[in-house]
Amino acid sequence: MEKANWSSPVVGFILLGLSAHPRLEKTFFVLILSMYLVILLGNGVLILVTILDSRLHTPMYFFLGNLSFLDICYTTSSIPLVLDGFLTPRKTISFSGCAMQMFLSFAMAGTECVLLSMMAFDRYVAICNPLRYPVVMSRSVYVSMAVSSWTIGGAASVVHTSLTIQLPFCGNNVINHLACEILAVLKLACVDISINVISMGVTNVIFLGVPVLFISVSYVFIIATILRIPSAEGRKKAFSTCSAHLTVVVIFYGTLFFMYRKPKSKDPLGADKEDLSDKLIPLFYGVVTPMLNPVIYSLRNKDVKAAVRNLVAQKYFTQ
């Protein structure tokens, strides 16, 4: 009964966004819209070529297609709302809409953490055990690995979203953020959020610590194997097959460590002030990283560039 008295019929939230920086809103609208279109185009083309070009029907490009689809889903779950908020004086979102956005963003982030570690294992087997690669990374294996990544990310998101939406907010529905980011929503709760903080800490270890450790160990073996290759050309070719993945890993985890270096609870003074950088860092992760992924994988990948050229040529000649 006491918990029921704490609760308030909050049916929606108000997103402050960059309202304290009105000049930045117009600039960011144009910038983010341009980036979002590049994300849809770049990742869409990558998905298309990995499906249509039979030469790209390999585990590495299957994972790459999943990564591109994941980036499209993640940005689409939040960026349209952010863009609308830049043009709308009063930025509101329903309670259910906020819960869905929290679920999708957390699920996509968790899935990408696991997926990048799966891709590291794929590169490890390809370089360190090339003769066993077709057996170890069979179709049933790499499809199961991708499905597991999505399942683990989704399950973790269900847990954290459920724990968050069950909290009483006592009428405090102003989110000082660009979107319904789960850490920003937790600050609105009017009860102790120790369980949420602990569960978030455990999740950070599972989705940040464990994959980073796994990827690091994999690349220690990969680099050691590459250094044993006698020819410089052979070493360069071997490293080029994993350099794109390593670049994406550094950008992705670097940004996430800044975002989730520690769970944020309510401000003890009750002031709902968040530094501008705390909003721009998630924005960087949510827009810049998905935009860079197809660029990184295509610029240094001859197979992808050849597949794109063939796709364009076929489109041109069929017309």
Side-chain angles (χ1 to χ4, degrees):
M1 285 295 293
E2 187 178 358
K3 184 175 180 179
N5 291 333
W6 289 341
S7 301
S8 176
V10 173
V11 295
F13 294 96
I14 299 173
L15 299 168
L16 290 185
L18 297 177
S19 56
H21 310 273
R23 292 184 178 180
L24 286 179
E25 288 191 325
K26 295 180 181 179
T27 303
F28 271 94
F29 174 83
V30 176
L31 185 61
I32 295 174
L33 177 60
S34 302
M35 290 180 173
Y36 181 54
L37 294 177
V38 172
I39 290 169
L40 295 180
L41 178 62
N43 287 286
V45 169
L46 269 180
I47 294 173
L48 196 60
V49 297
T50 55
I51 293 175
L52 297 180
D53 196 313
S54 58
R55 293 172 298 179
L56 302 184
H57 292 173
T58 63
M60 182 176 73
Y61 294 109
F62 177 77
F63 289 132
L64 180 57
N66 273 262
L67 183 63
S68 294
F69 179 70
L70 187 151
D71 286 339
I72 290 176
C73 291
Y74 177 79
T75 53
T76 303
S77 70
S78 59
I79 296 305
L81 178 66
V82 172
L83 292 173
D84 179 68
F86 288 149
L87 301 177
T88 307
R90 187 174 178 84
K91 311 163 182 64
T92 60
I93 183 173
S94 65
F95 188 89
S96 59
C98 185
M100 180 59 66
Q101 192 175 86
M102 284 190 294
F103 167 77
L104 289 175
S105 62
F106 201 99
M108 297 302 106
T111 299
E112 188 160 354
C113 288
V114 181
L115 189 62
L116 287 175
S117 65
M118 299 293 187
M119 295 173 75
F121 177 75
D122 171 71
R123 292 300 85 205
Y124 163 76
V125 178
I127 294 175
C128 300
N129 297 281
L131 297 179
R132 296 186 58 197
Y133 184 76
V135 177
V136 176
M137 295 300 296
S138 63
R139 179 176 176 81
S140 60
V141 171
Y142 67 74
V143 170
S144 299
M145 291 168 66
V147 171
S148 299
S149 301
W150 287 90
T151 302
I152 294 171
S157 184
V158 167
V159 172
H160 285 289
T161 304
S162 299
L163 288 174
T164 301
I165 63 177
Q166 291 177 13
L167 294 171
F169 296 106
C170 305
N172 186 7
N173 66 338
V174 179
I175 302 175
N176 191 10
H177 211 277
L178 293 165
C180 280
E181 205 271 339
I182 193 167
L183 297 181
V185 175
L186 284 176
K187 296 176 67 175
L188 304 182
C190 55
V191 293
D192 179 51
I193 58 171
S194 298
I195 295 178
N196 301 78
V197 172
I198 293 172
S199 62
M200 189 69 72
V202 173
T203 302
N204 287 348
V205 173
I206 295 174
F207 285 96
L208 295 179
V210 174
V212 167
L213 179 62
F214 181 82
I215 292 171
S216 300
V217 172
S218 298
Y219 271 100
V220 167
F221 286 104
I222 289 173
I223 293 173
T225 301
I226 291 176
L227 292 177
R228 289 197 296 267
I229 298 176
S231 66
E233 184 64 25
R235 290 194 297 270
K236 181 179 178 181
K237 183 177 180 180
F239 184 73
S240 66
T241 63
C242 57
S243 59
H245 172 260
L246 188 58
T247 303
V248 170
V249 166
V250 171
I251 295 174
F252 176 78
Y253 281 106
T255 309
L256 274 187
F257 273 121
F258 273 108
M259 287 174 58
Y260 294 101
R261 59 191 179 275
K262 62 179 180 178
K264 299 177 183 178
S265 59
K266 284 191 352 175
D267 185 341
L269 299 177
D272 193 18
K273 296 181 179 179
E274 194 168 348
D275 189 76
L276 182 61
S277 63
D278 290 332
K279 298 178 182 180
L280 296 185
I281 289 174
L283 188 63
F284 178 87
Y285 161 74
V287 180
V288 178
T289 304
M291 183 185 69
L292 289 179
N293 285 351
V295 175
I296 293 170
Y297 275 103
S298 60
L299 287 182
R300 297 181 58 85
N301 194 302
K302 296 180 180 179
D303 293 334
V304 173
K305 288 190 286 188
V308 173
R309 285 196 297 267
N310 291 337
L311 182 65
V312 173
Q314 290 176 6
K315 180 70 175 178
Y316 176 78
F317 285 115
T318 53
Q319 290 179 348

